[in-house]
Amino acid sequence: MTAPEPALTSLAHGGGCGCKIAPDKLQAILAGTPQAAAFASLMVGTETSDDAAVWRLNDEQALVATTDFFMPMVDDPFEFGRIAGTNALSDVYAMGATPIFALAIVGMPIGQLSVQTIGKILEGGASVCAAAGIPIAGGHSIDSVEPIYGLVALGLVHPDKLLTNRAARPGDVLILTKALGVGVLSAAFKQGRLQPAGYEALIASTTQLNTLGARLSSIPGVHAVTDVTGFGLLGHALEMARGSGVAIQIDSLSPDFLPSSQGLAEAGVRTGASTRNWAAYGEAVAFEGELPTWRRDLLTDPQTSGGLLISVAADQAEQVLTLARDLGFSAVRQVGRVKAGSAGVTVMSR
């Protein structure tokens, strides 16, 4: 009798964007790598930890290129593929671009997973790309100890409409399009503590394409955008603050939380990545008022396929909020503001 296949999450030491190297470790690694020579057509490189690289093709087009992959955070292979594909495409949308095609990145423990299971993972990724209107045009695969799946995603944007994380302006307000708590829910799933409603919310959030980003590039008041992923809301807000040379204030009570994530966080459920995130950048975050540990955990919670963090002129914020709601982002909230001052993040507790 053939032994049953192991659960996908049992084959991975981490899952989703919680697999990312902690921001301080990543910064140290990159600091030791040789700097690329200057290229006139390279519009965005590694300077401000932006979501994708951008290369000017001509006066009308710029190519946006990114890659993202990770280990499973759920056991359903089709859903794992969908989550990983959605997450990879998010970086293209965060630059204000429209995806044009993708390449698959596949690493699988061939001796432990069946061809059918691996096929379901790829099918999930392909379904997301089909929803985005693009093909998976190729890729690369290896035999790996842990299951890994993701995409190289390519997109196009007009050079004058490119969105980055380095142009936030004092007076802007900050809008977040998805609820927080993905990491908490995924940790609860691995612990066998996640109820069906929480699992459904997890899948719905992580497979919602950030198509809004391609629409934001046509709104003049949108100054800066990034997607909130493995470093949590505070980590990616800090990258925006440093890239833009501004002070960012986050209202700790404003972000929406995924169903059951608050209760689980209050009960002490969190990911190791949340702890690593806080250790990496906590000294750069200031506080005004008291902040419970569980709420801090949610603000540093790694978001797999998280929402877009948008810096927009205050008088056009309602236009962005309305557009987001019309596109199905029901959890969209205004979560902070941009001030003049030293680059950093302050968490406000009312």
Side-chain angles (χ1 to χ4, degrees), residues 292-335:
T293 299
W294 67 264
R295 191 176 290 276
R296 188 195 74 190
D297 286 343
L298 283 168
L299 294 178
T300 60
D301 189 53
Q303 302 304 288
T304 300
S305 192
L308 299 179
L309 181 64
I310 305 161
S311 182
V312 56
D315 62 356
Q316 295 185 53
E318 191 57 42
Q319 180 182 352
V320 172
L321 289 166
T322 299
L323 176 61
R325 294 188 189 107
D326 289 346
L327 292 176
F329 293 89
S330 59
V332 64
R333 300 286 189 276
Q334 181 176 320
V335 297

Side-chain angles (χ1 to χ4, degrees), residues 176 180 228-229 231-238 250-251 255 281 298-301 303 309 335:
L176 180 64
L180 301 176
V228 177
T229 54
F231 300 155
L233 174 58
L234 296 187
H236 291 286
L238 183 59
I250 297 293
D251 183 345
Y281 56 68
L298 283 168
L299 294 178
T300 60
D301 189 53
Q303 302 304 288
L309 181 64
V335 297

Side-chain angles (χ1 to χ4, degrees), residues 125-288:
S127 74
V128 163
C129 288
I134 65 170
I136 295 181
H140 185 65
S141 61
I142 62 169
D143 189 347
S144 172
V145 174
E146 296 179 289
I148 297 168
Y149 180 71
L151 300 175
V152 174
L154 302 172
L156 291 175
V157 65
H158 192 288
D160 296 339
K161 294 185 177 182
L162 174 66
L163 297 172
T164 70
N165 69 356
R166 61 192 184 196
R169 303 179 187 178
D172 284 357
V173 299
L174 293 173
I175 291 172
L176 180 64
T177 61
K178 290 187 183 182
L180 301 176
V182 170
V184 168
L185 295 187
S186 62
F189 174 78
K190 293 192 74 170
Q191 295 171 20
R193 300 173 62 177
L194 187 61
Q195 298 299 313
Y199 181 78
E200 291 175 7
L202 173 67
I203 297 300
S205 179
T206 55
T207 58
Q208 183 178 21
L209 286 164
N210 280 323
T211 52
L212 171 66
R215 302 279 293 274
L216 294 175
S217 61
S218 296
I219 301 176
V222 173
H223 298 139
V225 178
T226 190
D227 63 342
V228 177
T229 54
F231 300 155
L233 174 58
L234 296 187
H236 291 286
L238 183 59
E239 288 181 338
M240 182 179 286
R242 288 170 171 167
S244 303
V246 296
I248 282 180
Q249 295 179 344
I250 297 293
D251 183 345
S252 67
L253 302 183
S254 292
D256 194 13
F257 297 140
L258 289 168
S260 75
S261 61
Q262 177 174 334
L264 288 165
E266 288 176 328
V269 177
R270 62 182 177 184
T271 68
S274 176
T275 304
R276 292 193 299 272
N277 282 343
W278 182 246
Y281 56 68
E283 292 183 354
V285 178
F287 294 91
E288 290 191 10

Side-chain angles (χ1 to χ4, degrees), residues 8-34:
L8 284 178
T9 53
S10 73
L11 298 173
H13 76 279
C17 285
C19 297
K20 291 180 73 169
I21 297 173
D24 57 338
K25 299 294 190 295
L26 180 60
Q27 186 176 25
I29 292 168
L30 294 177
T33 59

